[in-house]
């Protein structure tokens, strides 16, 4: 099975990479710019802004569940991510306790943590005790908390440690952590976005090797695959702190949704990485093969109500053209003192209602959105497509200008380095020549930058 899986996944992945400069990829890549902001606004306001009779109902929900993401606890001083946003590592534990207490008071049926239980800065020798402290904090909630795997989970702990400490559900693949569970006629599906990944896997693992091949084909930063520098739009997702879903998990996912359809049940999907491009304006946090997963979701839009994801840290919301809601949760680790970042989801027969705390806002998510608002949704979709087309033309011109500017910058760099270029250090070493001081200084500065970025480019 492994020998079949590897080339199939690689063939599909490399085929997508080869078409990265297609018009569709250019269009999707706009989400980080002004056009992307208009598109995100359009999908989150024009489509989701329509109220329904459900919004005025005050009936009690069928049940509630808690939701939280990116705790990234560590018993270290506060710091910042690569974007410069402050991170409050110790306070994350207090936030987890508050969330658990709130879920308990609200009578939540269960809780969901979308991944990244510990931060990369957690000292390795404290990883076990830190996991125990987080598990104890969640233990204040009497119901079960379902955990997903995130990249930070895997920096200091292996999957066996996490499974033992957090009580992960059994998985069809022993080296993964995807699973499904049901509650009162609803199916909840948790995906493992680090199924195909370098993070958390050993170099002799064929899934590590598949991930390495994908990254080296897509990412030009050979010395720092955590960096998205040089990548554009959603191609920025091909970084080492990301990951993808393998063939076996994808087939399992299709099967879960097909079974839910046959049983007449609704489904809610969880994943650490965002699954819809409007959910990640920077593009760097998307699931590697999000297109494949989004296709599966939209083929089952009569079943799938919503997806809840994390990883991007900044809370975003969108609704796709098939009426599926996509919510990215705000990160606990970036929650400043005096605020909060968790929520409670009310499950009704015809909608979900997210009741947020602190940084997390309220959000109503209707079922059967297209059936309820077909005409207005179609009009908004037409406007949406027009924006895409206009943006694609603008981006083509912008990319030409950026390429010309980059060529000019490269010429200037060659002059600065005396004509030896970026490979100066290797050239002098091979020739046995002592490089000039200015070249040594430039190389030293570049190495220091790479070392810093290796830890900074980590969500």
């Amino acid at each position: 099975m492994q020998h079949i899986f590897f080339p199939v996944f690689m063939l599909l992945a490399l085929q997508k990479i080869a078409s990265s400069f297609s018009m569709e990829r250019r269009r999707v890549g706009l989400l980080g710019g002004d056009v992307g902001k208009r598109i995100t606004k359009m999908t989150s306001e024009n489509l989701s802004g329509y109220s329904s009779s459900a919004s005025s109902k005050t009936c009690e929900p069928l049940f509630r569940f808690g939701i939280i993401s990116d705790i990234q606890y560590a018993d270290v001083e506060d710091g910042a991510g690569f974007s410069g946003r402050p991170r409050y590592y110790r306070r994350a534990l207090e936030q987890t306790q508050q969330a658990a207490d709130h879920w308990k008071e609200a009578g939540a049926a269960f809780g969901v943590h979308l991944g990244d239980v510990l931060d990369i800065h957690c000292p390795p020798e404290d990883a076990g005790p830190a996991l125990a402290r987080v598990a104890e904090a969640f233990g204040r909630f009497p119901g079960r908390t379902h955990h997903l795997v995130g990249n930070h989970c895997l920096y200091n702990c292996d999957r066996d440690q996490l499974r033992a400490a957090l009580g992960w559900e059994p998985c069809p693949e022993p080296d993964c952590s995807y699973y499904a569970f049901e509650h009162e006629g609803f199916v909840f599906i948790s995906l493992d976005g680090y199924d195909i990944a370098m993070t958390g896997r050993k170099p002799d693992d064929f899934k590590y090797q598949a991930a390495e091949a994908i990254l080296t084909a897509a990412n030009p930063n050979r010395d720092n695959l955590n960096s998205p520098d040089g990548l554009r739009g959603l191609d920025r997702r091909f970084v080492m702190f990301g990951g993808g879903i393998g063939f076996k998990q994808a087939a399992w996912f299709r099967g879960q949704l097909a079974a839910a359809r046959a049983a007449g049940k609704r489904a809610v999907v969880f994943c650490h990485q965002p699954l819809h491009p409007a959910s990640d304006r920077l593009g760097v946090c998307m699931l590697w093969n999000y297109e494949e997963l989004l296709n599966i979701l939209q083929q089952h839009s009569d079943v799938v109500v919503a997806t809840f994801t994390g990883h991007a840290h900044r809370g975003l919301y969108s609704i796709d053209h098939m009426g599926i809601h996509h919510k990215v949760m705000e990160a606990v680790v970036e929650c400043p003192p005096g605020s909060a970042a968790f929520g409670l989801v009310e499950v009704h027969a015809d909608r979900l209602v997210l009741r947020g705390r602190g940084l997390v806002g309220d959000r109503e998510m209707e079922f059967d959105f297209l059936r309820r608002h077909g005409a207005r949704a179609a009009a908004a979709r037409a406007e949406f497509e027009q924006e895409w087309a206009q943006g694609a033309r603008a981006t083509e011109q912008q990319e030409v200008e950026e390429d010309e500017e980059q060529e000019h910058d490269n010429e200037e760099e060659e002059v600065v380095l005396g004509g030896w270029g970026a490979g100066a250090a290797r050239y002098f070493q091979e020739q046995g020549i002592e490089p000039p001081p200015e070249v040594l200084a430039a190389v030293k500065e570049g190495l220091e930058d790479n070392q810093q970025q290796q830890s900074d480019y980590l969500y």
Side-chain angles (χ1 to χ4, degrees), residues 27 32 75 81 122 125 172 184 272 292 356 379 404:
R27 292 165 65 192
D75 188 13
C122 178
E125 64 275 10
E184 294 194 19
H272 184 62
E292 178 185 359
E404 292 175 350

Side-chain angles (χ1 to χ4, degrees), residues 173-235:
E173 294 184 82
D175 65 339
C176 289
S177 57
Y178 56 89
Y179 56 90
F181 61 96
E182 295 188 19
H183 189 82
E184 294 194 19
F186 285 78
V187 179
F188 298 88
I189 302 174
S190 297
L191 300 175
D192 184 343
Y194 292 88
D195 181 359
I196 304 298
M198 293 176 69
T199 301
R201 298 200 179 278
K202 297 179 179 179
D204 60 352
D205 187 330
F206 76 98
K207 292 185 176 182
Y208 176 104
Q209 294 165 5
E212 185 177 37
I214 291 167
L215 286 181
T216 53
N219 192 321
N221 303 292
R222 299 292 185 269
D223 296 331
N224 181 15
L225 291 173
N226 271 319
S227 170
D229 290 348
L231 297 172
R232 290 176 176 159
L234 291 176
D235 284 341

